Each structure stands twice: as structure tokens, then as C-alpha cells.
Amino acid sequence: MEIFITLFITGVGLGALYFLVAAGLSLIYGLMDVLNFAHGAFLTAGAYATWYFTTYVRADGSLTSYAISLLIAGLVGALFAVATEQILIKYLYNRHIDQALVTVGLGFVAASAYLGWFGTDPLVVLPPVDLYNVVQIGDAFVGLDRFLYIGVAAIVLLANFLMLRYTRIGLIIRAGVENRNMVTALGIDVRKAFTFVFFIGGFAAGLGGALATTYASGVGPTLGDSFLIYAFITVVIGGMGSVPGTAIAAVLVGTTQVLVNYYVQGLGDFVVVLLLALVLLVRPQGLLGKVVR
Amino acid sequence: MNLEVTQEKALELSDVHVTIRGSHILQGVNFGIEPGVVTGLLGRNGVGKSTTLRSIVGLVPRVGSIKLFGKEISNLKAHEVIRSGVSFVPEDREIFSTLTVLENLKLAERDKQPNYDIVYNLFPELLKRKNQRAGTLSGGQQQMVAIARALLNNSNLLLVDEPTKGLAPRLVTEVADALEVAAKSATILLVEQNLPLVKRIAKNIIVMDQGVVVHSGSPMDLENADFAQRMLGVSGGSH
Ligand SMILES: Nc1ncnc2c1ncn2[C@@H]1O[C@H](COP(=O)(O)OP(=O)(O)O)[C@@H](O)[C@H]1O
Ligand SMILES: [Mg+2]
């Protein structure tokens, strides 16, 4: 039981990281029909920003420095994402295949740029020592960092919810996910919402990158790509365009992966793919996704 | 006749073509509509009426000239066309089913002071149901939302596509009343199959066939059963 609790919370923590990547993917796809394969590169950018900041700018290992590095990583991810939208995606509206191809290309370009600048070997990022503490739950011990991932993801989820529910841009995004053309036919420049969605998606991915350096103890050129695959699976299971669906699916994928990997060695990834296949068969629109008309 | 030539048209289409995925749907549409009145746009199914409205809004790629009170709008994006004072009630309503009634209306706000009074006076039902998800409304109520979205703002031009399609007779009357109220302050281009309704509220009619305009005239023309049969494939002579 103790082991189950430890693993379960670790799984939820991993799911929280998947959520940070998947939330943006889901909104971007839901609103714009763009499959953004460059999203992993946003995460990696955030991770390198964290490495740089905590190694060269504020290497005191304090929680404050770490917190600042999270924000910087988020902003780096967001700026990278907005630049991507403004420089590449914008000129390919309604050419969905071309957009997907361009983002695949950008993903490759970014990965080799990271490799050229930072080398193949993962760079070590040391989180504040306090994060190495464990928390006791019953008889189980769980690393404090897990709760940090979960907390940050929960804040992002809540902020997303409030933004979507109570702001005009949120209203435009929700309407645009349902019927983009009709939003423009009401006199709204839906492209502003596109840029905004890239900004928040990139911010969440950058945050995810900062946290991933703690989870993976460092950053390498392809850190984001490994997260991207599971984030895509998460988005499909949760339903394209539904942030709450993405959150549920992220927890499902993270816990399944960690638990199965422990109890049936090495089969975690396989079972996640099985889960994906099952959802696609039984509920193709995903758990909370819009029905495709 | 001379008066009509010199009077500025509310809307004027000259040689408008629309091609979608290789099919040439509008093949040089020409017409003008008089300001301040309702003009009916008629024709059999599939002749290009909806595409004509969508080309005016800019929802389909179009070639040719489209002038709104003398100003060329064919080079504008859809949201810019709407912002120049055009309201559009699309065929099949296209309300946002996951949003509430009020959210649907809020999204449509363009003016600083949207006319919620007018809208709720016409459709008290919408005030009662303002927090209901629009997807759970009946077809008639959804049509009210679609029309309300257009009436919320002051428009120079209202484009309305088959507002009574699939509605019960009582609702047809309600929609007709709403259009009459709207007609007091805006120019309306109305696509409508319900000929008695067209006769009741339209001053002029335009008839399309196979992607071009084949007739412009008065609703009186519809009294001629032979004309109605030939142009629209229906008998329009009696009420
Ligand atoms: N998006 C589209 N793609 C291909 N063909 C279309 C599209 N929209 C309309 N059409 C075709 O264009 C023609 C005119 O359609 P439409 O303007 O809807 O006619 P109407 O409103 O007069 O019934 C029809 O033959 C229809 O099949
Ligand atoms: Mg039509």
C-alpha cells in the first residue's frame, strides 16, 4: 500500500508535467486545428532557461531563485511560441498539413540548435535542496517535488478555467473552438485569440520545462520531445480543445505509466498506448472533447 | 427609373464570382439593393443564395466588386466587413451550443451600447433562458438567438438566410415580426422560401438561378403563378 501511494502520487506528478505541455496543445488544436509538433521545443527552451538562470544568474540554490526561474522559463516558452505563430503559422492559415509540417521542421531545427549550443550530454540542473525533502503520507514517503508539479499544474488549470470562463478573450476562445468562422462573422478578429493561445500554451510548456529539469535532474536537447509524445496522447484521450479533459487524461496517463511500469516491468508505455487505442475506439472525440461535425 | 440609377445603393454587387474547390458556384452575380427596405433573395435550392450572402460577408474567397453604401468591401476580411456595419444571420443558425444564451449575445456585441432592450422585448424567452446552454434550446429558440445576435447592434445592412426554415407556423410569425421591427432601422437582404412572408415584408425581390441573377422586380411578380413556377419551382400565387 505504501508503495502504491508513493507511485500513485509520482504518477500524478508526472501527469501534472504532461498537463502543462498538453493544455497548450489542446487549446491550439481545438481553436486553430494546428497540430503543433514544435511544442516540445518550447518546453526544452524553458528548461534551458532554467538551467542558465540557476547556474549563471542566481546559483544560490534558494527557493526564490527557483521560483524566479520558473517564471522566466514560462516567459521564454511563451515568447518562443508567439514568435512561432507570428513568423510561421500565421502565413499558413487554413493549410493544416503545411502548418503541421512546418512545426515538425521547427522541432527538428530547434533540437539541433540546442545540440549545437549546449551539447549532447544532459546539463545538470540542481533544484533547491528543500525540494529533495520527502513528505510522509500514512506509511508512505513521497518526494516534495511531486507536490510542486501538481501544485503548479493545478494553478495553471485554475487560471485557464478563470480565463476561459470570465474574460472576453476566453469567451472568444471557447466560441472559436466550436465554430471559428462564425466568430469572425460576428466581427471578431479571431487571429488575436490565436496569438494569445500560443502565448499561454507556450508559457505552460516553458513552466513544464523548468519543472521537468527537476523531474529529470537536468536538460538535454530532446527533453521536450519525450514529453511531447505523451502530451499528444493525453490530448487525444482528453478530447481536443477541452482543458478539463486534458487534466483528467494527464492524471490517467501519468499514473498508468508509473504504476504499470512498477508492477509489470517495462509495460507502462505499452499500456498507455493501449489506453489510447481503447479511447479512440469507444469514444473517438476523447473524454470531454467536442463531437466533430 | 432615373431616380433609381442616381440613388446610392445600400449594397451593390458587380460581377461577383465564387469558386470553391474547383466548382464555380457564383458566376458573375450582379444586383443592387435599395437602402431602408427589405429585399428578398429568392431561387431554388442550390442556386447560390447562401453563397452570395457568404461572399458579401467575406466567408468565402470572392472575386468582383461588392460596395456597401458606395464603399468597396470585397477586399476586407470577414470581421472587417461585419465591423463596417453588417450583421449576418446564417442559414442553420450557427449559434454556439456550448455557450449560454447570454454568452452568445455578449460575443456578438459590437456597439458601445448594445440594444438588449429591443432584443428582450422581441424575444422575452431569451431573457428567461439567458443562463441556459444554447445547445439545449429548441430550434425556434436557437433561431431567436441567431436573430438577436444581429439585432443587438445598429447595422447598415442585415443579411438574413432562411430564418424561418424548419420553424412551426407560430414561430414563423414571431420571426417575421422581428424582421419587420429590424426593417425600420436597417436595410435587409433576406433569403427566404416562405413566399407569403416575402410578400408581406419585402419591397423588392431578386431571383437567382445557377449562380447568376435572373430577375429583379417586385414581390407582385410572385402573384403570377407561371412566373413563380418557372423561377422558383413552386406555386406562389395563393396565400
Ligand atoms: N463549401 C462548399 N463546398 C462545395 N460546394 C459548395 C459549398 N457551399 C455550397 N456549395 C455548392 O454551391 C451551390 C450553391 O449553394 P448555396 O449557396 O448553399 O445555395 P442556396 O443557398 O441557394 O440553396 C450548391 O450546388 C452547393 O452544393
Ligand atoms: Mg442556402
Side-chain angles (χ1 to χ4, degrees):
Chain A
M1 190 60 198
E2 306 85 70
I3 288 185
F4 179 84
I5 291 174
T6 306
L7 290 172
F8 182 78
I9 294 176
T10 299
V12 177
L14 180 60
L17 296 180
Y18 291 155
F19 170 77
L20 289 173
V21 185
L25 279 181
S26 177
L27 271 185
I28 290 171
Y29 183 84
L31 184 65
M32 306 161 64
D33 296 327
V34 174
L35 280 175
N36 181 25
F37 289 95
H39 216 72
F42 305 163
L43 179 147
T44 315
Y48 277 117
T50 297
W51 166 77
Y52 186 84
F53 186 79
T54 57
T55 309
Y56 294 111
V57 183
R58 284 182 65 141
D60 56 8
S62 70
L63 276 175
T64 316
S65 300
Y66 186 76
I68 297 174
S69 81
L70 287 190
L71 278 181
I72 290 178
L75 284 176
V76 166
L79 291 181
F80 191 173
V82 168
T84 302
E85 198 265 345
Q86 288 290 308
I87 296 170
L88 294 174
I89 310 277
K90 192 165 112 175
Y91 297 102
L92 299 171
Y93 278 127
N94 295 325
R95 290 163 59 183
H96 303 309
I97 307 266
D98 295 340
Q99 286 174 330
L101 288 176
V102 158
T103 65
V104 170
L106 178 62
F108 282 127
V109 168
S112 44
Y114 296 143
L115 191 119
W117 294 333
F118 306 110
T120 7
D121 295 332
L123 303 171
V124 178
V125 180
L126 290 177
V129 277
D130 293 343
L131 280 184
Y132 290 123
N133 289 346
V134 289
V135 177
Q136 188 170 6
I137 298 177
D139 292 330
F141 292 93
V142 185
L144 188 61
D145 62 321
R146 272 59 174 164
F147 294 97
L148 177 70
Y149 312 147
I150 297 168
V152 170
I155 291 170
V156 169
L157 177 62
L158 182 70
N160 245 297
F161 171 81
L162 294 176
M163 181 274 293
L164 287 173
R165 188 70 36 188
Y166 296 109
T167 67
R168 179 151 179 94
I169 188 89
L171 183 60
I172 292 170
I173 292 170
R174 280 186 290 143
V177 166
E178 200 180 320
N179 184 347
R180 213 169 38 212
N181 267 337
M182 195 56 217
V183 173
T184 66
L186 292 177
I188 295 161
D189 184 3
V190 80
R191 291 183 179 202
K192 290 194 182 121
F194 292 175
T195 312
F196 181 73
V197 162
F198 261 86
F199 182 89
I200 57 174
F203 190 89
L207 267 182
L211 297 173
T213 63
T214 302
Y215 185 85
S217 312
V219 47
T222 57
L223 176 70
D225 299 335
S226 46
F227 279 93
L228 185 65
I229 295 168
Y230 292 101
F232 265 121
I233 293 176
T234 296
V235 170
V236 174
I237 290 178
M240 294 285 192
S242 164
V243 178
T246 302
I248 295 168
V251 171
L252 207 62
V253 170
T255 51
T256 303
Q257 205 181 4
V258 171
L259 285 171
V260 174
N261 261 338
Y262 180 82
Y263 291 108
V264 197
Q265 218 129 78
L267 283 191
D269 298 352
F270 177 72
V271 174
V272 166
V273 173
L274 220 57
L275 194 69
L276 171 69
L278 190 75
V279 168
L280 284 177
L281 279 175
V282 179
R283 213 179 144 76
Q285 77 272 31
L287 297 177
L288 300 180
K290 60 173 173 179
V291 179
V292 178
R293 282 155 301 147
Chain B
M1 197 66 205
N2 276 335
L3 198 74
E4 266 199 30
V5 173
T6 50
Q7 183 189 26
E8 185 180 62
K9 299 286 186 194
L11 179 73
E12 191 156 30
L13 276 69
S14 314
D15 200 26
V16 171
H17 292 256
V18 169
T19 303
I20 301 176
R21 274 177 246 117
S23 64
H24 195 178
I25 296 170
L26 297 190
Q27 313 189 350
V29 171
N30 297 289
F31 67 80
I33 68 174
E34 216 182 298
V37 301
V38 177
T39 301
L41 180 59
L42 313 179
R44 298 166 206 255
N45 274 328
V47 298
K49 304 181 297 294
S50 297
T51 306
T52 299
L53 295 198
R54 296 170 67 79
S55 75
I56 297 166
V57 175
L59 291 171
V60 289
R62 68 276 201 223
V63 178
S65 160
I66 304 172
K67 284 188 174 148
L68 180 68
F69 292 97
K71 184 183 161 237
E72 186 63 50
I73 59 167
S74 64
N75 51 345
L76 299 184
K77 300 197 179 82
H79 72 272
E80 296 166 336
V81 172
I82 299 295
R83 293 256 155 206
S84 40
V86 177
S87 287
F88 177 46
V89 181
E91 197 173 11
D92 303 321
R93 292 142 204 168
E94 303 205 34
I95 52 124
F96 299 99
S97 61
T98 57
L99 307 189
T100 66
V101 170
L102 185 58
E103 284 174 337
N104 267 276
L105 299 180
K106 274 193 149 36
L107 197 65
E109 289 179 6
R110 299 198 305 268
D111 295 353
K112 283 229 160 55
Q113 269 148 353
N115 303 320
Y116 279 95
D117 289 348
I118 294 187
V119 163
Y120 287 143
N121 265 328
L122 278 172
F123 307 118
E125 192 79 7
L126 296 187
L127 180 58
K128 247 183 13 208
R129 297 177 182 273
K130 68 179 171 28
N131 293 320
Q132 190 175 331
R133 270 187 175 220
T136 63
L137 298 172
S138 72
Q141 291 158 349
Q142 293 189 0
Q143 187 60 267
M144 291 174 196
V145 173
I147 295 175
R149 281 193 309 206
L151 301 189
L152 209 51
N153 306 290
N154 292 313
S155 312
N156 304 323
L157 176 67
L158 216 65
L159 304 170
V160 189
D161 200 348
E162 303 212 27
T164 66
K165 192 163 110 185
L167 297 190
R170 187 181 53 79
L171 290 170
V172 172
T173 313
E174 203 168 329
V175 165
D177 293 347
L179 291 175
E180 264 189 333
V181 170
K184 287 190 196 132
S185 58
T187 308
I188 300 184
L189 180 58
L190 170 69
V191 175
E192 183 53 71
Q193 306 275 14
N194 182 329
L195 296 186
L197 173 61
V198 172
K199 286 182 214 163
R200 184 182 135 196
I201 67 176
K203 175 155 183 263
N204 303 312
I205 61 165
I206 296 165
V207 182
M208 289 183 69
D209 195 16
Q210 297 185 11
V212 292
V213 170
V214 290
H215 177 86
S216 322
S218 125
M220 297 302 284
D221 302 342
L222 300 169
E223 298 291 341
N224 181 333
D226 183 47
F227 172 88
Q229 179 63 37
R230 194 158 39 84
M231 291 290 182
L232 311 172
V234 291
S235 61
S238 60
H239 285 240

